[in-house]
């Protein structure tokens, strides 16, 4: 389970990650990754959790959120996919730079995918989102 400090909860945080981050898709999922700005500018996404934590002036943490729509399947299937993705992301969140924001959107194919397939697709999508490509025109 992801701790509250590592979860995205506000729709504005989801929107900032989806609109301002890098997108990479694979067979069962799409990831939107917003890396922290290396320049002195202010980040688009607030690094603190939705509810005020007890930590004072702590270092920014990487946070993740999940989007599993009704297109994936009924509630039981959606929750199973969300639990699997949450467990997979928890293992990989420490590899992201502090202050990163990750949104994982499950595609309908995720309902039939095995745990190993979801993990492989997540790894491929994360590595693709982390590599910088030229801007499309």
């Amino acid at each position: 389970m992801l701790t509250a400090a590592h979860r995205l909860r506000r729709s504005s945080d989801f929107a900032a990650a989806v609109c301002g981050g890098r997108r990479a898709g694979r067979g069962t999922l799409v990831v939107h990754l917003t890396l922290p700005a290396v320049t002195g500018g202010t980040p688009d996404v607030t690094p603190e959790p939705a509810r005020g934590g007890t930590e004072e002036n702590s270092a920014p943490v990487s946070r993740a959120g999940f989007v599993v729509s009704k297109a994936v399947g009924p509630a039981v299937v959606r929750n199973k996919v969300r639990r699997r993705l949450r467990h997979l992301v928890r293992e990989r969140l420490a590899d992201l730079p502090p202050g990163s924001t990750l949104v994982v959107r499950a595609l309908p194919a995720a309902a039939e995918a095995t745990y190993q397939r979801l993990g492989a697709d997540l790894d491929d999508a994360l590595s693709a989102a982390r590599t910088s490509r030229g801007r499309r025109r």
Side-chain angles (χ1 to χ4, degrees), residues 31-115:
V31 299
H32 299 270
L33 179 63
T34 303
L35 298 172
V38 291
T39 60
T42 59
D44 292 341
V45 181
T46 56
E48 69 271 359
R51 298 177 188 195
T54 57
E55 301 116 10
E56 301 172 6
N57 298 331
S58 63
V61 295
S62 298
R63 299 186 306 145
F66 304 92
V67 178
V68 184
S69 72
K70 289 185 179 181
V72 173
V76 172
V77 174
R78 291 194 311 266
N79 288 332
K80 180 177 79 170
V81 169
R82 190 178 297 114
R83 281 192 309 268
R84 286 180 173 181
L85 289 174
R86 205 168 31 221
H87 188 267
L88 288 165
V89 167
R90 181 182 57 155
E91 297 170 349
R92 292 156 177 83
L93 209 54
D95 297 336
L96 296 176
S100 300
T101 304
L102 173 68
V103 173
V104 181
R105 183 167 43 99
L107 298 175
E112 310 296 324
T114 63
Y115 183 80

